[in-house]
Structures are given as structure tokens and as C-alpha cells.
Amino acid sequence: MDIGNMLSDSLNYAIDAVWQKWARWILLIVSSIIFPLILGYVMEIYRGTKPAPELQHWGKLFIDGLKLIVAWIIYMIPVIAVILIFGGWAFFSAMQQSAMYGGPDALFMNPDLFIPILGGFLIGLVVAIVLAIVISLIATIGMIRMARKDRFGEAFNFGGIFETISRIGWGSYIVALIILFLVMLVFSIIIAMIMAIPYIGWIIYFFLLPPLTIFEARYLTELYESSEPAAPVTT
């Protein structure tokens, strides 16, 4: 697995998807606003379509996008549960302490009361973040398997998911995702600066969003495909 080639190929794939293809670019912008459509398009990319597919079969794109959303929500239930448990505990503890000591001002001005509540919430937040990262490692491959097999249950085929990651190599897989995260972070910072431009910042943002989405989806697809055996060379 050559991460440098994956990055360059994904970037070229994303540029080719929109450059001088204004009708498709506009449709991708509209799809990004009606976001199940762009997620359905991501599913098409996950299937290994090359070059970037045309936008067609809108009903299928919408349904595929909804499947992706539902699968991610299911995966994130443990994270949501942790946040609700710790957040609820912090909220009701704060309400109880406020009632006992004369209101919110008394609570916030008394570190002995406030810091344990804040600390408990922050511990829960850290647990939720770590859990989300671990789940994302599994879910990412699950989503691509769902697209490839065209079966919703494949998103949760943990035996197949772990087998795929093992073929990639856990170390290589995690490093590749970290690099993607850093690249997308740089892009996000640049986009945030662009959005600060008066009047036209948001317009530029909507034009950049589709190619960035395509870039990320293609990179993950190539990462998945690195687990597959190379095709035999015929002479």
C-alpha cells in the first residue's frame, strides 16, 4: 500500500470528477444540500466505480444515502449512550446542587461543588471520543462492504470487516486513516478561511465541498482495495 499514490490518485479522481464538467458539478452541489444524495454518490464511489460516476438513478442514490446514514447511527449508539449517561448525570447533579445551595451562581462560584461535576462530564466526553474513534475504524470498512455487497447487513459483518482490516494490516490501516484525517484537517482550515471571505465565501465553500467529499471517498475505497489480492499479470 503506497499512501502517496493513494493521495495523488484520489486527488486526481476528485478533480477529474468536476473539472470542466459544470453540469455534474452543479448537480453535486445540489446533492450536497440534499445530503442523502451525495452520500448515495459516495456509495457509488465505494463500489469502485472509476472514473467518477455520473449522477443518475436518483431514487437509488437517495435510498443508498439513507442506508449509509442509518448504518452510521446504529454504529454510534454506544457513543450517544455514553454522552447521554454522563451528560445527564452532570445535568441532574448540577440541578440538585443548585437547588441545595441557592441557585446556579452558588454552584459555579463553589469549586468544590462544580469541579467534580465538570470532571465527571469531561471523563464521559473522553470515553465517548475514544469509543467513537474505535468504532469508526470498524464502521469505515463496514460501510464500504455494504456498498460492495449491496447488502445492509454487510455493514455489521464483523468477521468480514476484521478479515479485511487484517489483510490491509492494522498498523497500515490506522496510519492511512491518520494521514487522511490530517489532510482533511488542513483542507478544513483552508475552507474555514475561505468561508470568512465576505459575500462569496459560502459560495466557494459549496463548490469545494463535492470534490473534497469525492476525494475522501476515493481514498477510503483505495484503502479498502489494498486488502484485495492483486490481479494476476497476463503475458
Side-chain angles (χ1 to χ4, degrees):
M1 179 177 62
D2 188 328
I3 293 179
N5 281 341
M6 286 169 52
L7 288 170
S8 62
D9 288 349
S10 301
L11 182 60
N12 290 333
Y13 183 96
I15 292 173
D16 182 66
V18 297
W19 190 250
Q20 295 184 339
K21 299 177 176 70
W22 294 107
R24 183 195 288 178
W25 202 342
I26 296 299
L27 288 175
L28 285 168
I29 292 172
V30 173
S31 299
S32 298
I33 297 171
I34 310 172
F35 63 91
L37 291 175
I38 194 67
L39 294 179
Y41 190 78
V42 164
M43 290 277 279
E44 288 297 318
I45 297 172
Y46 284 168
R47 292 186 176 106
T49 307
K50 191 175 182 181
E54 295 292 337
L55 282 132
Q56 53 188 354
H57 309 301
W58 293 94
K60 185 176 187 302
L61 288 180
F62 192 84
I63 295 299
D64 280 349
L66 290 180
K67 288 179 180 178
L68 197 60
I69 293 170
V70 171
W72 271 109
I73 290 174
I74 293 172
Y75 263 107
M76 287 298 142
I77 286 175
V79 178
I80 296 169
V82 168
I83 292 174
L84 289 177
I85 290 170
F86 281 87
W89 170 83
F91 175 78
F92 287 111
S93 295
M95 293 289 289
Q96 183 183 35
Q97 297 293 344
S98 296
M100 291 176 61
Y101 291 95
D105 291 341
L107 173 64
F108 293 124
M109 293 180 66
N110 190 336
D112 291 338
L113 298 176
F114 177 66
I115 290 178
I117 295 174
L118 178 61
F121 174 75
L122 291 178
I123 290 172
L125 187 60
V126 170
V127 171
I129 291 172
V130 172
L131 189 58
I133 292 172
V134 173
I135 289 174
S136 294
L137 293 176
I138 301 168
T140 297
I141 295 299
M143 301 305 157
I144 301 176
R145 286 184 62 88
M146 177 174 65
R148 291 292 177 112
K149 306 293 184 180
D150 203 20
R151 291 197 300 269
F152 184 79
E154 281 298 318
F156 308 97
N157 181 352
F158 298 111
I161 291 169
F162 286 121
E163 182 183 349
T164 299
I165 298 175
S166 295
R167 288 200 300 265
I168 298 171
W170 278 95
S172 299
Y173 178 60
I174 292 171
V175 168
L177 290 181
I178 290 173
I179 290 174
L180 176 62
F181 171 78
L182 294 175
V183 170
M184 295 304 291
L185 179 62
V186 171
F187 282 142
S188 297
I189 293 171
I190 294 172
I191 287 177
M193 296 171 63
I194 290 173
M195 289 173 63
I197 300 174
Y199 306 113
I200 64 170
W202 278 94
I203 297 174
I204 298 174
Y205 163 75
F206 279 115
F207 271 90
L208 292 178
L209 186 57
L212 284 177
T213 302
I214 293 168
F215 165 80
E216 182 180 25
R218 181 60 193 170
Y219 180 92
L220 292 174
T221 302
E222 293 200 22
L223 180 57
Y224 175 89
E225 290 175 348
S226 70
S227 71
E228 299 174 344
V233 178
T234 58
T235 58

